[in-house]
Amino acid sequence: MNKGFFQRETLTVARQLIGKLLVRTVDGYRVSGIIYETEAYDGERDLACHARSGKTARNAVMYGDGGHAYVYFTYGMHWMVNCVAGVVGYPAAVLIRAIHPIEGIYHIRRQRTPIKEKNWCNGPAKLTKALSITNKLNGVNLCVRDSPLHIELGLSIPDGWISSTPRIGIQNTPEPWKSKPWRFIADLSKLKKQF
DNA sequence: TCTTCGATTGTCT
DNA sequence: GACAATCGAAGAA
């Protein structure tokens, strides 16, 4: 994807990332999946966003240019991957919550065994495990094909396949942020019929 | 299928 | 010192 794709309103980026292909390159081979669930985190005003208390060493990448990866560690054991949205100076990102595996199934199976196949990539920390995404990829450019992690055009998803709900795992966030319908999720059963 | 609960450590107050 | 943009096992139904 070109950089302009990411330099837009965070909610637009979150919606448009549904159906795109997330590609991880490991030792020259591709491990990838179609994105079908995302969440938008939009600026310092958004009290669910990591940038709510200003710039820190951890969230610095979010303040940079759109089209880069923001990878962080949480719950003492999990990595999460986001696409930075917007332009330099405006902290915003879109969390990738779930993907449908397409390439590199062998790699994914090896990472996720003995978990059942349907649960390989249906959660933000699950897909980072499946694609071997860690803090080493924090800040990488998602717009170039030779990057170890990047986004490609994938499928066009009809609006009718997508629903939006409040974001997950932000129970202690004050309103109105807790209830903002900034989570986008596509109907996986319909998506699967494309293959 | 649903609910509960322990795991485990970087980051910020 | 508290908490976190979660996961997966175990037990109940």
Side-chain angles (χ1 to χ4, degrees):
Chain A
M1 303 301 304
N2 46 32
K3 190 163 80 167
F5 175 87
F6 298 97
Q7 293 177 317
R8 296 183 290 172
E9 217 182 318
T10 315
L11 291 182
T12 302
V13 176
R15 160 63 182 85
Q16 295 299 321
L17 274 172
I18 302 288
K20 296 294 181 289
L21 191 66
L22 179 68
V23 183
R24 171 84 167 103
T25 306
V26 187
D27 298 331
Y29 61 91
R30 289 160 60 97
V31 185
S32 71
I34 295 286
I35 297 167
Y36 70 90
E37 185 177 342
T38 62
E39 274 177 10
Y41 290 88
D42 188 34
E44 294 179 351
R45 70 194 172 111
D46 175 7
L47 297 182
C49 182
H50 283 170
R52 60 184 172 275
S53 303
K55 191 173 181 176
T56 66
R58 181 205 207 190
N59 65 29
V61 175
M62 276 209 285
Y63 285 78
D65 210 355
H68 293 259
Y70 168 43
V71 182
Y72 68 88
F73 186 74
T74 191
Y75 288 110
M77 60 189 95
H78 298 308
W79 295 102
M80 309 280 165
V81 62
N82 301 244
C83 300
V84 175
V87 294
V88 173
Y90 187 80
V94 176
L95 173 68
I96 309 299
R97 288 194 57 86
I99 64 175
H100 178 60
I102 300 293
E103 299 168 282
I105 304 299
Y106 177 76
H107 180 93
I108 293 174
R109 175 180 292 114
R110 198 175 42 193
Q111 295 302 310
R112 300 293 292 140
T113 298
I115 305 297
K116 289 201 201 83
E117 184 165 346
K118 60 174 289 198
N119 294 321
W120 278 352
C121 297
N122 61 346
K126 300 182 189 181
L127 71 93
T128 57
K129 183 84 191 320
L131 300 197
S132 306
I133 295 171
T134 68
N135 62 333
K136 285 183 218 155
L137 298 179
N138 192 34
V140 303
N141 190 344
L142 296 170
C143 304
V144 297
R145 294 183 71 97
D146 61 357
S147 175
L149 187 68
H150 69 279
I151 306 283
E152 292 180 11
L153 194 58
L155 302 172
S156 179
I157 306 291
D159 283 339
W161 293 12
I162 300 180
S163 49
S164 57
T165 76
R167 292 170 289 182
I168 304 296
I170 56 168
Q171 203 53 40
N172 294 329
T173 300
E175 297 290 3
W177 310 106
K178 190 166 84 172
S179 298
K180 294 272 187 193
W182 288 358
R183 171 180 179 234
F184 298 88
I185 179 164
D187 186 323
L188 184 57
S189 61
K190 287 175 178 155
L191 191 67
K192 279 182 177 172
K193 290 174 185 166
Q194 299 288 299
F195 298 101

